[in-house]
Amino acid sequence: MLKISDVKTYYGNIQALKGINVEIAQGEIITLIGANGAGKTTTLMSVSGIVPPRSGDIFFEGNPITGLKPHEIVELGICQVPEGRHIFPYLTVLENLDMGAFLRKDADGVRQDRDYVFSLFPILANRRHQAGGTLSGGEQQMLAISRALMARPRLLLMDEPSLGLAPLIVRQIFGIIKKINEESRTTIFLVEQNANLALKIAHRGYVMENGRITQTDTAADLLNNEDVRKAYLGV
Amino acid sequence: MNYFLEIFLGGLTRGSIYALIALGYTMVYGIIELINFAHGEIYMIGAFTALIVASVLTLLGFNTLSVFILALVLAVIYSCCYAFTMEKIAYKPLRQAPRLSALISAIGMSLFLQNYVLLAQTSDFLPFPRLIPDFDFMEPYAHIITTQEAVILITTAIFMTILTIFIKFTRMGKAMRATSQDKVMAALTGIDVNRVISFTFIVGAAAAAVGGVLIASHIGMINFYIGFIAGIKAFVAAVLGGIGSIPGAVLGSFVLGWTESFCTGYVSSDYEDVFAFLFLVLILIFRPAGILGRSESNKV
Ligand SMILES: Nc1ncnc2c1ncn2[C@@H]1O[C@H](COP(=O)(O)OP(=O)(O)OP(=O)(O)O)[C@@H](O)[C@H]1O
Ligand SMILES: [Mg+2]
């Protein structure tokens, strides 16, 4: 479904991605783990077209998307829940959700999906008229995920959804990520530092170091891999 | 009492014009954090376009009302084209560059447009025809408010109302609000950010052109330098109200308009600018982000 082929991405003169290859099949949850500064966020931003690669190619369902504008990439069905949530602070919860459905024309479907995300995260329904910026961190993360779901994505990119959240909420959110994948068959590309949890819900995983992919395997095998356990699981 | 009312309405009229220009400053700043120094020139170009159109149409024997409407519409269209092109040439290539570069590009654009009009026209003041006739039914109130002033007030009110509804309820309006709050996220929800930016420049230019035509017709003369003076005042108004905020720009404009007109009415017109800027400094000391400004980066 998504193929990242020898992608190199730069910030000015700094090279953040040094030729990475990733493949994701329809219906999978793939996780990308790695230390701070490894280039995980840059990978997602390259796919979304926010930081376009300098060389290499990205294919979505067989078609090249390298060089497309971010909004054109969203139009194809690739949505992102960015690192740090990026909630529109002065829009209400409802308005934030509407922004997620910005490109959709089917008002009925949008209404159904709104009810669906409220059923996933009932707390958001209670806060619907509250400004996004006044929500707690956990609520903002729920809103960020819900906003992305409002677009009915075919591929959902998620950047560290567990960042800064209490363990209980993290488990709740990971449960919902799994549920989204199973119920709507949404393909998920999950970037995480919480490698333990991520590898438990993912099918396969990639390990990234210094802008390079150093390992890839099934999630189960990565969980048992000695190097990975030492470096990312803290055991 | 009548004298007070006259001064009050005079200030409101000035404030309306400042508000029409200040909109462009505040909206553009809200979206791309740029002080568009060339914005005043757009207002001046609007006035010159109206002057040319009105002169030609009057020669051709059109009646007053159709001259007014056509001059206004063409001035708006022409100014919008200028603003659109200016953004594409002078600002868009500098989107990723340091802020200061874009600011200098804006100052360059402002000087370029001033000198271009100076060469194409003249440095002298040119008489500007009265586009708005005095209506007979306004006669009894003429000592308080002239037809010209009434038209300025009503046009501004209509423009602001439409703009408010537009930003609150339309798709493009929502896209503008989202873009002003978080550009990256706006792009990630499928908003074409470049289009939103172009559109913002166009709305600002339309408002400025309307202001330019109305005030030129009220005062009766224009030259290449009017954009600079009015631009500075409107910019002050935008900062006073809280740059980036639309209601702030309108409020700041009225505050500035009243300050000037009460100063002229009760003290002396010589001190009008002194009072205006003193007021600006005082307000900024107590509210550094302006009257309605938010300290962080939300705007529209
Ligand atoms: N806007 C930027 N300008 C310059 N360099 C950047 C920029 N963003 C990221 N980098 C650099 O690119 C490299 C990869 O950063 P990236 O944000 O992709 O890492 P990450 O794996 O997401 O890290 P984290 O886990 O801390 O979020 C880092 O060395 C970082 O310093
Ligand atoms: Mg990151």
Side-chain angles (χ1 to χ4, degrees):
Chain A
M1 172 172 232
L2 185 80
K3 183 169 181 214
I4 301 176
S5 168
D6 197 27
V7 160
K8 297 179 177 142
T9 302
Y10 292 73
Y11 294 101
N13 295 325
I14 305 165
Q15 183 171 17
L17 299 183
K18 298 167 183 165
I20 63 162
N21 294 286
V22 173
E23 269 189 69
I24 303 178
Q26 162 69 39
E28 280 188 308
I29 301 183
I30 296 299
T31 184
L32 176 64
I33 57 181
N36 289 113
K40 306 182 295 297
T41 299
T42 309
T43 305
L44 294 192
M45 288 303 178
S46 292
V47 174
S48 284
I50 301 283
V51 190
R54 193 170 291 178
S55 72
D57 275 302
I58 302 175
F59 300 91
F60 182 60
E61 300 182 321
N63 305 312
I65 59 167
T66 349
L68 292 186
K69 298 269 163 50
H71 67 96
E72 294 167 329
I73 292 173
V74 176
E75 231 163 300
L76 295 174
I78 304 181
C79 295
Q80 189 179 152
V81 183
E83 185 174 8
R85 307 163 194 125
H86 284 258
I87 296 302
F88 297 113
Y90 302 103
L91 298 187
T92 64
V93 167
L94 276 179
E95 287 172 326
N96 266 284
L97 292 176
D98 281 350
M99 290 318 300
F102 186 74
L103 292 175
R104 288 177 61 179
K105 305 273 187 288
D106 56 326
D108 287 338
V110 170
R111 219 166 302 128
Q112 276 172 23
D113 286 357
R114 200 184 293 147
D115 292 340
Y116 173 65
V117 300
F118 283 154
S119 76
L120 290 179
F121 301 111
I123 183 87
L124 292 182
N126 301 333
R127 303 252 186 276
R128 66 180 78 200
H129 297 299
Q130 199 169 317
T134 64
L135 299 181
S136 77
E139 289 163 354
Q140 287 194 358
Q141 190 62 61
M142 297 175 196
L143 179 56
I145 295 172
S146 303
R147 180 180 54 193
L149 291 179
M150 290 301 292
R152 287 216 181 150
R154 313 192 25 203
L155 171 63
L156 184 57
L157 312 174
M158 306 182 95
D159 199 344
E160 301 204 35
S162 72
L163 195 73
L165 302 184
L168 195 69
I169 300 196
V170 172
R171 267 200 296 282
Q172 186 196 350
I173 283 180
F174 272 68
I176 284 180
I177 294 173
K178 201 162 168 52
K179 186 168 154 178
I180 295 165
N181 172 256
E182 281 164 3
E183 284 180 359
S184 341
R185 307 286 305 132
T186 309
T187 312
I188 294 176
F189 189 14
L190 172 67
V191 161
E192 256 305 336
Q193 287 209 40
N194 191 333
N196 192 21
L197 265 178
L199 287 170
K200 274 186 185 134
I201 64 164
H203 301 109
R204 291 187 300 120
Y206 288 82
V207 180
M208 185 169 227
E209 274 169 41
N210 282 323
R212 290 201 171 80
I213 301 286
T214 52
Q215 296 204 47
T216 172
D217 211 331
T218 62
D221 284 348
L222 283 177
L223 267 176
N224 294 324
N225 182 304
E226 220 26 66
D227 297 341
V228 173
R229 286 170 69 88
K230 272 211 199 84
Y232 303 105
L233 301 175
V235 282
Chain B
M1 190 57 209
N2 271 352
Y3 184 61
F4 175 85
L5 202 61
E6 186 190 333
I7 289 179
F8 179 85
L9 289 171
L12 202 61
T13 311
R14 275 182 187 227
S16 299
I17 298 294
Y18 291 151
L20 285 171
I21 309 174
L23 270 183
Y25 282 107
T26 217
M27 288 172 72
V28 164
Y29 186 86
I31 299 271
I32 57 173
E33 269 125 62
L34 166 76
I35 309 287
N36 179 12
F37 263 100
H39 183 59
E41 271 56 63
I42 296 293
Y43 153 95
M44 178 264 297
I45 284 170
F48 268 97
T49 312
L51 173 61
I52 294 164
V53 173
S55 310
V56 172
L57 291 182
T58 311
L59 278 179
L60 294 176
F62 281 72
N63 69 25
T64 322
L65 186 66
S66 50
V67 170
F68 173 56
I69 291 175
L70 281 172
L72 188 65
V73 169
L74 288 173
V76 165
I77 293 174
Y78 201 63
S79 299
C80 289
C81 293
Y82 259 93
F84 177 82
T85 317
M86 178 166 79
E87 193 270 325
K88 289 275 179 272
I89 295 176
Y91 305 141
K92 189 167 176 233
L94 295 172
R95 195 84 48 76
Q96 312 300 333
R99 290 275 175 79
L100 200 55
S101 313
L103 192 65
I104 289 177
S105 183
I107 294 172
M109 208 63 210
S110 164
L111 290 173
F112 169 77
L113 289 175
Q114 275 180 36
N115 285 289
Y116 155 75
V117 173
L118 169 66
L119 291 175
Q121 303 288 329
T122 141
S123 67
D124 299 333
F125 271 98
L126 300 173
F128 194 96
R130 238 166 197 265
L131 296 177
I132 308 164
D134 281 325
F135 296 121
D136 289 340
F137 66 84
M138 288 294 294
E139 188 59 41
Y141 313 104
H143 58 291
I144 301 171
I145 183 169
T146 66
T147 309
Q148 306 263 339
E149 289 173 326
V151 169
I152 290 176
L153 289 182
I154 292 166
T155 314
T156 309
I158 293 173
F159 199 100
M160 296 299 170
T161 311
I162 293 176
L163 185 68
T164 308
I165 293 171
F166 179 86
I167 286 182
K168 190 93 188 114
F169 297 108
T170 64
R171 240 169 89 79
M172 182 51 104
K174 286 179 187 167
M176 287 168 77
R177 281 195 289 159
T179 306
S180 81
Q181 292 176 33
D182 191 330
K183 251 192 292 305
V184 168
M185 194 58 227
L188 287 176
T189 57
I191 292 169
D192 184 345
V193 172
N194 282 332
R195 251 187 73 204
V196 171
I197 293 173
S198 291
F199 190 82
T200 307
F201 271 83
I202 287 174
V203 173
V210 169
V213 176
L214 291 176
I215 196 68
S217 155
H218 185 41
I219 291 177
M221 53 186 189
I222 58 175
N223 78 347
F224 74 99
Y225 204 57
I226 57 166
F228 182 75
I229 313 243
I232 290 279
K233 291 285 180 64
F235 174 60
V236 166
V239 173
L240 201 64
I243 190 137
S245 152
I246 290 179
V250 175
L251 185 64
S253 298
F254 288 144
V255 168
L256 186 67
W258 281 320
T259 311
E260 289 183 356
S261 105
F262 279 104
C263 178
T264 308
Y266 288 103
V267 188
S268 150
S269 65
D270 296 341
Y271 293 105
E272 146 188 325
D273 288 348
V274 176
F275 273 80
F277 283 92
L278 196 67
F279 214 64
L280 172 77
V281 170
L282 278 180
I283 287 187
L284 291 184
I285 286 174
F286 293 105
R287 288 200 56 96
I291 305 173
L292 297 182
R294 288 166 169 146
S295 36
E296 321 92 306
S297 60
N298 169 60
K299 294 100 199 189
V300 178

